Amino acid sequence: MRVSILGASSGIGRPARTTSFLLDDHTLIDCGTGVGSLEVAQLLRITRVLLSHSHLDHCGFLPLLADVHAGHAGPGITVYSQQATLDAIKQHLFNGVIWPDYTVTPSPENPYVRLQAIEVGDPVALPGGIATALPAEHSIPAVGWLVEGDWRALAFSGDTGPCPAFWQWIAHVPSLSDVLCEVTYDDDHLPQARRYGHMAPSLLASLVDPLPPAVQLWISHLDPGEEERMMQQIRAVLPPHLHVERLKAGVTIEL
Ligand SMILES: [Zn+2]
Ligand SMILES: [Zn+2]
């Protein structure tokens, strides 16, 4: 399976785009502004969205993706997330005011947006692999995702503060090759990181010990314009043997 990073920033401002990863050509993890870089034919091949949570930088382009399917007789999309997240996007996005309610259009039996509730630990079968919802600790209900291909596995933290259950879970995945973890705040803003359920460099450093040494760690959700300063701060506090890179649009990871 090929994971193509379409966006991995916490906000916009060219060239930054917000979180969206494409698995082969059929599945998205999150539907931030990154998905807007795809062509219509590519958008119509997407039939699943694994959604981490209902904040706009992760789900804001979902209504527009649904609109492409509605306008081009596409197959529609199944959105997998926790019930609280599905309730939020139904109530606040697909409510007939902000956007048409594609969860009942063109018919309630066969809508363009199908909502499928999952809980932490639930697997979602994919062509060429499997995705499993992982625990997260954010300001609202949220999950991360584990994606296992034929040979390798990728873990994505979603938006989260320190969540020991996430790190214990992925440390027991033998094929784990890549970990995509958010870092939103610098260490001068630890109270904000704790209050809003985000990571900071020193918080990340306290959690990475269980990772096997060969794992590649990718840092996502950096503030546009602050990437280099943040990466320097992160590298300064992480164990030197860890492979750390900044996750950005254009990166591809083979599983
Ligand atoms: Zn969030
Ligand atoms: Zn976010």
Side-chain angles (χ1 to χ4, degrees):
M1 195 169 354
R2 168 176 288 213
V3 182
S4 305
I5 306 305
L6 307 176
S9 295
S10 66
I12 58 170
R14 202 170 67 175
R17 298 188 177 106
T18 72
T19 306
S20 195
F21 313 147
L22 183 63
L23 312 183
D24 288 338
D25 61 354
H26 47 70
T27 301
L28 283 182
I29 291 180
D30 284 349
C31 201
T33 68
V35 74
S37 63
L38 297 180
E39 296 173 5
V40 169
Q42 294 174 295
L43 297 170
L44 289 169
R45 285 197 283 273
I46 296 168
T47 55
R48 290 172 212 77
V49 175
L50 311 174
L51 187 59
S52 65
H53 66 303
S54 61
H55 278 156
L56 211 57
D57 56 319
H58 299 257
C59 74
F61 271 27
L62 193 55
L64 298 172
L65 175 60
D67 205 54
V68 173
H69 282 245
H72 296 80
I77 306 141
T78 304
V79 181
Y80 297 83
S81 199
Q82 291 169 301
Q83 188 64 55
T85 303
L86 300 179
D87 291 347
I89 64 170
K90 166 98 175 159
Q91 183 180 354
H92 299 295
L93 293 179
F94 297 106
N95 59 8
V97 178
I98 294 291
W99 208 240
D101 187 357
Y102 285 128
T103 68
V104 294
T105 306
S107 71
E109 297 76 28
N110 192 24
Y112 288 118
V113 175
R114 303 170 285 272
L115 304 178
Q116 181 65 49
I118 52 91
E119 275 307 326
V120 167
D122 285 353
V124 178
L126 306 175
I130 192 162
T132 306
L134 295 177
E137 296 280 351
H138 197 33
S139 54
I140 60 170
V143 293
W145 289 98
L146 175 69
V147 180
E148 295 170 273
D150 284 339
W151 306 105
R152 292 147 55 106
L154 169 156
F156 168 54
S157 71
D159 277 11
T160 185
C163 179
F166 171 87
W167 296 93
Q168 286 157 17
W169 191 306
I170 66 173
H172 292 97
V173 177
S175 60
L176 184 72
S177 58
D178 297 86
V179 176
L180 284 50
C181 185
E182 73 120 293
V183 176
T184 302
Y185 289 101
D186 62 24
D187 279 341
D188 292 334
H189 294 83
L190 285 174
Q192 288 90 334
R194 292 208 172 86
R195 185 181 318 144
Y196 299 119
H198 283 296
M199 295 289 269
S202 64
L203 299 176
L204 177 61
S206 70
L207 290 161
V208 295
D209 267 354
L211 284 185
V215 163
Q216 173 77 51
L217 180 62
W218 300 90
I219 305 300
S220 71
H221 215 262
L222 296 172
D223 204 15
E226 297 293 325
E227 293 94 344
E228 289 313 313
R229 183 180 69 85
M230 289 293 291
M231 288 304 297
Q232 281 179 14
Q233 203 175 102
I234 291 165
R235 288 181 204 281
V237 296
L238 288 181
H241 69 268
L242 266 183
H243 309 283
V244 189
E245 293 289 344
R246 175 186 151 207
L247 192 72
K248 54 185 172 183
V251 166
T252 60
I253 300 168
E254 299 280 349
L255 300 180

